[in-house]
Amino acid sequence: MVLWQGNNFTVDGREPTTAEEYYRIGLRCWHDDRYRNAATHFLGAAADVGHEAAIELLGHIDYVQGRFASAVPHLRRSSGSPRAAYYLACLHQRGCPEAGIGQSYDEAGRWYRAAARSGEPEAMLALGDLYLERLVPVTGTPAEHALEQFLAAAARGHPYGQYRAAEIYRTLYQDSERAAALYRACVDNPLTGRHALGSMMTLQSQAHLREFSATTAARLQQQRRDATHPAERRDDFY
């Protein structure tokens, strides 16, 4: 029997004996508000013997709860974890003296790239911003590098990636067709409403789509007028 503050924790009715079983208890506790404070106790037992998922989850828990000094060792041990790499990038971008990390955009960029290569869309978005703000070296134009990252996030269904890519196409490339497709994807994305900037993205995307539609309608109308009254015959009407 495994007790924590008077509560009995078991795996399928028996006492846990392996790191995986301690990890499973810790994971259950983390997702249960009643026992969330017990999560680190059981995850720690699994992490002590090298359980990789337990190490990563401990780093995540410490990070989201603001215990950065204790989070960093777990994050650095989570080799290959996109989430851990993203958190380390964030800490390097802003600096975290309590964890012994100074501000470094180069280090932030390195960790964001590692997370982005592993498919973390939040890292792609953050890296795109670093490129646009010229805070990390680029081989091409900042917009090219940023657009590549925003499109990668958009391809993974991230609404903000769709919105940011649309903005670059509209403002920097004047490509209304590609911008419209991405604005529409953002508006139709069921995740947009749950995003912190969801309302803004929806309203702005809809406004730009209306502008594109009006511009297209005006152009078609002008084309019809030109077809009906070619320029070389217009003097006949005066």
Side-chain angles (χ1 to χ4, degrees), residues 22-80:
Y22 274 94
Y23 165 71
R24 285 168 57 191
I25 293 176
L27 182 61
R28 280 207 315 269
C29 290
W30 175 243
H31 291 297
D32 189 328
D33 291 339
R34 296 171 300 169
Y35 306 118
R36 179 160 286 188
N37 291 335
T40 55
H41 172 75
F42 294 105
L43 292 171
D48 286 344
V49 293
H51 193 284
E52 292 185 2
I55 294 169
E56 185 199 20
L57 184 52
L58 277 174
H60 168 72
I61 291 172
D62 283 340
Y63 182 91
V64 298
Q65 293 185 343
R67 297 189 297 269
F68 302 125
S70 57
V72 167
H74 297 306
L75 297 175
R76 285 179 172 157
R77 288 176 66 192
S78 300
S79 176

Side-chain angles (χ1 to χ4, degrees), residues 140-162:
T141 67
E144 289 172 343
H145 288 281
L147 180 59
E148 179 183 12
Q149 296 301 320
F150 295 154
L151 286 173
R156 285 161 176 78
H158 198 294
Y160 196 53
Q162 294 164 344

Side-chain angles (χ1 to χ4, degrees), residues 172-193:
L172 299 181
Y173 291 96
Q174 286 80 52
D175 189 332
S176 59
E177 184 175 348
R178 285 190 173 92
L182 286 157
Y183 281 132
R184 195 168 293 110
C186 180
V187 171
D188 294 339
N189 192 333
L191 297 177
T192 300

Side-chain angles (χ1 to χ4, degrees), residues 154-226:
R156 285 161 176 78
H158 198 294
Y160 196 53
Q162 294 164 344
Y163 178 78
R164 294 299 302 278
E167 287 285 278
I168 288 184
Y169 275 128
R170 179 180 66 85
T171 61
L172 299 181
Y173 291 96
Q174 286 80 52
D175 189 332
S176 59
E177 184 175 348
R178 285 190 173 92
L182 286 157
Y183 281 132
R184 195 168 293 110
C186 180
V187 171
D188 294 339
N189 192 333
L191 297 177
T192 300
R194 300 202 294 269
H195 193 276
L197 300 176
S199 296
M200 180 277 293
M201 290 190 291
T202 298
L203 291 172
Q204 290 294 320
S205 296
Q206 290 173 335
H208 293 311
L209 286 170
R210 287 194 296 270
E211 290 171 6
F212 294 150
S213 180
T215 300
T216 299
R219 184 170 61 249
L220 290 173
Q221 187 177 32
Q222 184 62 53
Q223 289 173 351
R224 286 194 294 269
R225 282 199 298 265
D226 291 342

Side-chain angles (χ1 to χ4, degrees), residues 222-235:
Q222 184 62 53
Q223 289 173 351
R224 286 194 294 269
R225 282 199 298 265
D226 291 342
T228 305
H229 307 297
E232 63 272 15
R233 296 179 53 194
R234 286 177 187 165
D235 289 342

Side-chain angles (χ1 to χ4, degrees), residues 2-15:
V2 177
L3 291 175
W4 182 85
Q5 294 187 355
N7 294 295
N8 181 21
F9 292 89
T10 64
V11 176
D12 299 328
R14 59 177 176 77
E15 182 175 350

